[in-house]
Amino acid sequence: AYWMSESGVVDVMLLSGPTPARFFSQYASLTGVTPLPPRFSLGYHQCRWNYNDEADVRYVHGQFEALDLPYDVLWLDIEHTDGKRYFTWDAHKFPHPKEMQLELAATGRKMVTIVDPHIKKDSGYAVYQEAHDKKLFIQKKDGAELDGWCWPGSSAYLDFTSAEVRQWWAERFAYDKYEGSTEHLYTWNDMNEPSVFNGPEVSMDKDAKSLAGVEHREWHNLYGMYMQQATWEGLLQRNEGRDRRPFVLSRSFYAGSQRWGAIWTGDNACKWTHLEAAMPMLLSMGLCGITFAGADVGGFLGKGGGYGDPDAELFTRWFQAGAYQPFFRGHAHHESARREPWTWDDATTARLREVAKQRYQLLAYWYTAFRHAEVTGMPTMRPLWVAYPKDAATFEMSREFLAGPDLLVHPIAHKGATSASVYFPGADPWYDCVDGTAYAGGREVRVAAPIDKLPVFQRGGSVVPRQMTLRRASALMKDDAYTLVVAPDAAGGAAGELYMDAGD
């Protein structure tokens, strides 16, 4: 192994294992665990840069309702603000933000708005002026306030490495400061690498200074984590002692970011190769503690990024894969064609509805897997070798994975494919989740995978809880019955777990 550190210091911790489970526990003792997320955040998220206005929000929400398509969260990107001034709303496009959120909440849904680290330099913008007066921004090497270019134009960047600044930022999320926000509104931190369009390597100068006088090169990789921490604490504090779990999505992360929320893989493209690449990326992140993670379904960059928009086949296959990954969000560039689940044809809409139903039927299973992640550090999405560490055939395998402890998933990531060669590890049988066909462990089998079927198999020896009634949001499933799907092992035995609490 070859190690290099620009700032001159490398700390190495050797974690002895010897089992994968012991390793994850040891790593969690160093960097922390993923706290159990609010249950709604495990449902489907619908995002676009940008939903145009309140009428567009009502249209999208209404279509999900009318077509019986389950979803839990509707997202707003940077255009919802007043001129890219975060913690504000465009008064013409979103004049009634509280009422809009309450309309969604009436059917069990939430909203997420984007809040980025670059603060528009505008003396009439209270967030900037107060931070400027308190001297909370990163400085240039000569001590002047750093000026960088990002979405709002000329911008300043808060020093999230400072505990004082993090507390000030957390206070911005109070309901009387973030006007138009409600308890149904959650947060997305983007561009927090930090991105500076006119800076070296599209970030700030390496010799820029924190308030403590430490150069940027020393804390570059920590910046996004500290921002996510400050946002998380803001969402926790705004509820004045009511212990509601926050939800915060961040693009930038570091070892330990799992303590503060979810991560996604960034601006992917509408390409089959990017669908395929999402699997090893998410598996690698999970091995490093970042288990609440996902990739944008359909690919973010379509026509707007110089790529074509996804056809029905690519989107369907991506939607199928996303439904069995920890964070499940559809997202699209503003110059891309609309790609909500009803934008192709009726057959595709019906197909995607069935996939979404599979996700919602398994929310209790995912929730239980996240409870284990909180207690043990075990990732929720796992390479096969985590469960079968003595099976060398699994060591470099990333074309299939385990969703939780008991489901083997083999996404279809190649155009035109109607079958897949699936490897079944272990000595116990695996059962097709649709028709119950049993496959012996320890061998590879070619299975059918037409466009309306994702190869998913339940481990012999497991009991998987499902909630079979179709609802449009997770909040509406609270009192629904559970179906326990029993898959016997070679000796006829099976066991499983179900964790339940208030959900928030």
Side-chain angles (χ1 to χ4, degrees), residues 88-142:
T88 71
W89 303 84
D90 184 313
H92 300 289
K93 295 181 177 180
F94 296 94
H96 309 107
K98 284 188 178 180
E99 291 82 351
M100 175 177 62
Q101 294 161 50
L102 292 173
E103 282 184 36
L104 294 177
T107 57
R109 275 48 174 259
K110 312 294 183 184
M111 176 166 273
V112 166
T113 50
I114 198 167
V115 180
D116 287 353
H118 45 265
I119 304 301
K120 184 178 178 67
K121 301 189 83 165
D122 174 2
S123 60
Y125 174 31
V127 174
Y128 169 75
Q129 194 57 46
E130 184 176 335
H132 173 78
D133 292 343
K134 291 178 178 289
K135 296 183 167 39
L136 303 182
F137 289 118
I138 300 294
Q139 303 167 352
K140 295 192 292 188
K141 64 179 179 180
D142 62 6

Side-chain angles (χ1 to χ4, degrees), residues 468-488:
M468 305 301 286
T469 305
L470 173 62
R471 305 290 185 187
R472 297 189 187 98
S474 63
L476 308 178
M477 302 167 63
K478 183 165 62 77
D479 298 321
D480 284 348
Y482 288 87
T483 296
L484 302 182
V485 182
V486 180

Side-chain angles (χ1 to χ4, degrees), residues 67 78 82 96 120 138 160 180 182 203 239 247 254 266 278 299 353 360 372 381 386 392 417 424 426 437 466 486:
L67 296 170
I78 54 177
D82 175 15
H96 309 107
K120 184 178 178 67
I138 300 294
F160 288 108
T182 72
S203 193
N239 288 317
F247 171 76
Y254 189 68
R353 183 189 298 111
Y360 278 76
H372 275 284
M381 177 180 172
V386 168
F424 295 101
T437 300
R466 292 177 180 262
V486 180

Side-chain angles (χ1 to χ4, degrees), residues 16 57 99-100 140 154-155 203 239 253 306 311 329 348 359 397 449 477 480:
S16 59
V57 167
E99 291 82 351
M100 175 177 62
K140 295 192 292 188
S154 182
S155 304
S203 193
N239 288 317
F253 60 94
D311 60 15
R329 180 180 79 155
T348 300
R359 173 66 173 209
M397 193 175 289
M477 302 167 63
D480 284 348

